[in-house]
Amino acid sequence: MRLSFNELRWLKRAALDSNRPLESLVQRRINREPLQYIIGTQPFGALDLRVRSPVLIPRPETEDWVIRLAEHLCSSYSSRPISLLDLGTGSGCIPLLLCHLCPNIVATGIDISPNAVQLANENATLCGVPHSRYKASLCDFAHPGFPKAEAINPPYDILTSNPPYITSDEYLQLSDDVANFEDPTALIGGYDGLEFYRLIARLIARDGFLSPEAVVALEVGHSQADAVCDMLNPTGFRTSIWMDPWGKKRTVIAQRR
C-alpha cells in the first residue's frame, strides 16, 4: 500500500516523539496495521486516549453520540450524582469522556477482555479520572450471574454500550486493517449481529437494575436501530433513534415511559 502525505507526516512525528525508527513505523503501516495502533493514541472528544491491539479503536461516530449524550445528561441530572454502567467498555472511551464532560458521573466499566480492562484503567489514569469515578473490571454481562457480580452495584441511572454488532458474514468482508488487528469478540454480534442487544434487553427489564428515570444509550449497526427499538420497547422504555453525522441510524436511546 502507498502511504498518504498525512500518514507519513503523523508517522514522522510519532517516530520523533517516541524515539523509534521511522522505517519500522512505515513498515507496520505498509503491513496494514492501523495508524492509531502505530502512533499509540487516538483523540476522542477532549481526550487523547491510549490505544493498542487488540482493543478496538474508538470511532468518530461513537464520539459524536457520546458528546450529545453528555449534553443531555448534564441538563437532566444537574445537581446529583449519576451512576453509570458501561457494558463492553473497551478502551474506556465512552464512560471516560462522559466523566470528563459531566463532573457528577460515577462510572463502572466491564469487559470480558483482560487487555481491554487494563487499557481502560490506564486511560482513566492518563485522563485524570480517579478510580472513585471510573473503574473497569473483568466481567461477562452474558453470564446469568452477572447482576450479582462483585463489580456490579445497581441500580444505575445510565447504561451505555457499544456492543459487538457485526454479523459473522460481515466479519469475513472486513478490511485487513480491522480483521487482523482488532479483537473479533468485540466485533461479532452473532449470526445476525443482534445477540448482545437481546442480552441487554433482558438485563434492563430486571426489577431494580436501573433507576426509575434511567437512560439507556446503545450504539448500533447502520441497519439495526429499528430492530433494537423493537427489543427494548416491551421492557417499559420508550425509544428514539439518533442519526450520526453521516446520516446513519447510529444510536438507540431508551428512557422510562
Side-chain angles (χ1 to χ4, degrees):
M1 63 172 290
R2 291 177 60 88
L3 272 63
S4 70
F5 172 80
N6 279 333
E7 285 180 314
L8 186 57
R9 178 168 60 88
W10 290 325
L11 289 173
K12 285 180 177 178
R13 182 181 301 169
L16 184 63
D17 290 345
S18 62
N19 197 28
R20 291 179 288 173
L22 175 61
E23 294 80 4
S24 68
L25 304 189
V26 169
Q27 187 59 52
R28 288 170 65 181
R29 184 63 190 126
I30 290 173
N31 292 340
R32 308 294 297 189
E33 184 173 353
L35 188 66
Q36 295 93 329
Y37 287 149
I38 301 170
I39 294 173
T41 59
Q42 168 68 15
F44 193 75
L47 306 179
D48 197 28
L49 298 176
R50 187 172 293 164
V51 292
R52 59 173 175 264
S53 182
V55 183
L56 261 59
I57 299 164
R59 268 43 175 201
E61 57 268 30
T62 308
E63 175 187 279
D64 175 75
W65 72 257
V66 172
I67 292 172
R68 185 173 173 184
L69 178 63
E71 294 170 351
H72 171 74
L73 297 180
C74 289
S75 62
S76 300
Y77 298 87
S78 57
S79 60
R80 69 172 180 86
I82 311 169
S83 61
L84 182 148
L85 177 63
D86 185 47
L87 302 176
T89 201
S91 65
C93 60
I94 294 171
L96 288 175
L97 184 53
L98 289 171
C99 284
H100 176 78
L101 296 172
C102 298
N104 51 335
I105 285 180
V106 176
T108 297
I110 63 100
D111 207 293
I112 62 169
S113 164
N115 291 312
V117 169
Q118 180 178 343
L119 182 61
N121 284 323
E122 287 178 21
N123 274 325
T125 300
L126 186 68
C127 296
V129 179
H131 274 193
S132 59
R133 293 197 59 216
Y134 172 76
K135 183 179 179 181
S137 297
L138 194 64
C139 204
D140 181 4
F141 75 87
H143 191 280
F146 170 72
K148 296 183 179 179
E150 184 178 352
I152 302 307
N153 186 29
Y156 290 99
D157 299 308
I158 312 296
L159 186 143
T160 58
S161 187
N162 178 13
Y165 57 66
I166 69 170
T167 68
S168 303
D169 288 342
E170 287 171 335
Y171 181 75
L172 299 176
Q173 302 171 29
L174 291 177
S175 67
D176 290 344
D177 303 53
V178 177
N180 292 343
F181 294 94
E182 296 190 276
D183 187 354
T185 62
L187 293 167
I188 302 172
Y191 74 96
D192 62 354
L194 297 171
E195 175 182 341
F196 292 96
Y197 300 105
R198 296 186 185 95
L199 293 171
I200 292 170
R202 289 199 292 269
L203 187 62
I204 67 174
R206 291 179 62 96
D207 287 342
F209 193 78
L210 297 181
S211 64
E213 298 179 354
V215 175
V216 177
L218 307 176
E219 182 167 326
V220 298
H222 65 88
S223 63
Q224 296 171 330
D226 293 325
V228 172
C229 286
D230 288 343
M231 292 178 197
L232 300 187
N233 285 330
T235 66
F237 285 79
R238 67 179 187 277
T239 56
S240 58
I241 298 169
W242 288 354
M243 309 291 285
D244 70 18
W246 299 272
K248 303 292 186 182
K249 295 179 177 180
R250 184 58 60 190
T251 315
V252 171
I253 302 296
Q255 294 180 273
R256 295 286 191 188
R257 295 185 188 279

